Amino acid sequence: MEQEQAPRWWAVVAVMIGIFLLVTAEQLPIGLLSQVASSMDVTPGMAGLMVTVPGVVAAFSAPLLPVAVGRLDRRIMLTLLMVVMVVGSAFSALASSFVLLLAARVLVGLSIGGFWAVAGSIAPRLVPEEKVPKAMTMIFGGVAAASVLGVPLGTLLGHFSSWRVAFGALGGLSLLTAIALWRWLPPLPPREPVRLRVLAQQFSNRGVRVAVLTTAFVVVGHFAAYTFISPILQEISGISQRHVGSLLLLYGAAGIVGNIAAGMFAGRHPYRAVLAIPSLLLVFVAAFPLLGVQPSSGVMLLMAWGAVFGSVSVSIQTWILRTAPNTEAATALMAFTFNMSIGLGAMLGGRLVDGTSLSIAMWAASGLFLLGALLVWRTPSRIVGEKRR
């Protein structure tokens, strides 16, 4: 029995690494925003399109790719999507203009959406039922690990060499991951092909609907502000640009802690875990322009922000597993929402930053967190099998 289980845990590790690299690729421009904007001679708001474009593409590839591939083995699908990621990263590193760079980011978005749509639903197929919460925590730990390792290390590599080297390194690691996925994943034929009709049916379920809308409010709000964390730390907290990469390591470390804590807590209390996310983000982000005006207070608020946002993926996915009639279809819908919200958030933040100020962008984000908190509060906790105390 142990011999059969070991390869499946390695499969969980491979999927986690895939998520780690994809989220790193999606968010790496955040840490390199100032450098790319200067190199390509565009404004910071325009450079934010490097986050918007893959976010929007990933949003549509998440529900449409599982529909398009039908009964294709998910092992083959995940491996091929990592190969697409290799190509997108290589083209990003070699882009000679901002337009070509955005074109390369389209390939990155295609890979992100399709991979995330499948990865979030296969944990129950890789480990026994009682181990699913642990597997879920590991897989979505890749999201937090991207913040604690991927984005900060990529940012540091970009600052010590160039942003092109950072994207090229990401492509090399993605190639190794594609090989690992092919070797370690078991055959994963879809149990039920995802169809557009099934996707629409998921949204008619109240539990799924609340999860989707809450995710939209939280993620749009987060990326409206966090996409511009480099200028926020420099202009509001008075922190030098050379320290941004190191501080993103602290942000990501806090995200790892938040992910682990949420993995343990959300398995027993998914309602309270999801309610806490927009509520706490509201407090920390709204307070940043007022209290984060010193380096020390800015760093503390940044870490609190990271810990809370690090808990989003595992908490929401646990809610989905409790409420969705079709977990792969619901996860595809969630991946659409998450990635579209990243793109919309970065675009909204870019408009606000270029047209008003960093503080206004953060307060606008806080307004969206408030809407998310109110939505969850008005939802009966019994839909996820939890009693409100």
Side-chain angles (χ1 to χ4, degrees):
M1 187 69 176
E2 286 293 318
Q3 290 180 341
E4 295 179 359
Q5 189 64 28
R8 293 191 175 187
W9 279 113
W10 279 113
V12 171
V13 170
V15 175
M16 177 193 71
I17 294 171
I19 288 285
F20 163 78
L21 290 174
L22 290 165
V23 175
T24 298
E26 188 168 26
Q27 299 184 22
L28 183 57
I30 294 173
L32 299 173
L33 198 72
S34 299
Q35 188 180 142
V36 175
S38 175
S39 173
M40 293 292 185
D41 195 25
V42 295
T43 67
M46 182 67 71
L49 289 175
M50 290 188 296
V51 179
T52 297
V53 168
V56 172
V57 173
F60 286 99
S61 69
L64 295 181
L65 270 181
V67 172
V69 301
R71 293 188 175 276
L72 179 68
D73 191 302
R74 278 13 185 180
R75 174 197 182 204
I76 297 174
M77 180 180 175
L78 292 177
T79 303
L80 289 176
L81 286 170
M82 286 307 300
V83 173
V84 173
M85 172 69 179
V86 174
V87 176
S89 298
F91 284 176
S92 296
L94 298 172
S96 59
S97 70
F98 189 66
V99 172
L100 292 177
L101 178 56
L102 292 183
R105 299 290 290 168
V106 170
L107 294 177
V108 174
L110 183 70
S111 178
I112 292 166
F115 196 99
W116 196 316
V118 175
S121 64
I122 64 174
R125 303 181 63 183
L126 299 177
V127 298
E129 183 178 356
E130 66 274 11
K131 300 293 186 180
V132 169
K134 180 180 178 181
M136 290 278 293
T137 301
M138 288 178 64
I139 288 174
F140 286 106
V143 178
S147 298
V148 71
L149 293 174
V151 175
L153 289 178
T155 301
L156 289 172
L157 179 60
H159 285 314
F160 284 120
S161 54
S162 84
W163 60 269
R164 296 182 186 276
V165 173
F167 282 120
L170 196 57
L173 292 173
S174 298
L175 179 59
L176 294 176
T177 304
I179 296 171
L181 287 165
W182 183 252
R183 287 178 59 90
W184 293 341
L185 279 175
L188 292 169
R191 291 174 175 171
E192 179 182 350
V194 177
R195 306 189 190 283
L196 290 176
R197 175 176 51 82
V198 177
L199 287 171
Q201 289 172 349
Q202 302 308 300
F203 201 71
S204 66
N205 177 280
R206 184 174 183 181
V208 174
R209 187 166 64 250
V210 170
V212 167
L213 293 175
T214 302
T215 298
F217 287 132
V218 168
V219 178
V220 171
H222 172 76
F223 280 93
Y226 183 69
T227 299
F228 306 95
I229 193 62
S230 179
I232 284 171
L233 291 174
Q234 294 174 62
E235 296 180 26
I236 293 180
S237 301
I239 294 171
S240 172
Q241 182 180 343
R242 69 177 183 274
H243 296 308
V244 170
S246 300
L247 290 178
L248 290 182
L249 283 171
L250 292 178
Y251 170 91
I256 289 284
V257 173
N259 178 74
I260 294 172
M264 295 185 292
F265 184 74
R268 300 188 303 272
H269 308 290
Y271 178 85
R272 277 178 275 180
V274 173
L275 177 61
I277 291 168
S279 303
L280 292 174
L281 286 174
L282 168 62
V283 173
F284 297 137
V285 176
F288 207 110
L290 303 175
L291 302 180
V293 294
Q294 298 293 329
S296 58
S297 58
V299 170
M300 287 190 293
L301 285 169
L302 178 68
M303 292 182 66
W305 186 352
V308 177
F309 194 75
S311 69
V312 169
S313 297
V314 68
S315 300
I316 295 288
Q317 188 64 29
T318 300
W319 179 300
I320 286 291
L321 291 178
R322 293 281 190 97
T323 60
N326 182 313
T327 55
E328 183 169 325
T331 302
L333 188 61
M334 285 297 302
F336 168 85
T337 303
F338 203 103
N339 287 286
M340 178 61 81
S341 299
I342 290 174
L344 292 176
M347 184 170 62
L348 172 64
R351 291 291 186 90
L352 291 173
V353 168
D354 282 350
T356 57
S357 68
L358 291 167
S359 297
I360 295 297
M362 301 188 82
W363 287 327
S366 301
L368 292 171
F369 299 144
L370 176 61
L371 292 176
L374 291 174
L375 176 62
V376 179
W377 176 254
R378 291 175 58 84
T379 302
S381 59
R382 64 178 180 273
I383 69 170
V384 288
E386 184 177 345
K387 293 182 179 179
R388 196 184 285 183
R389 292 183 179 180

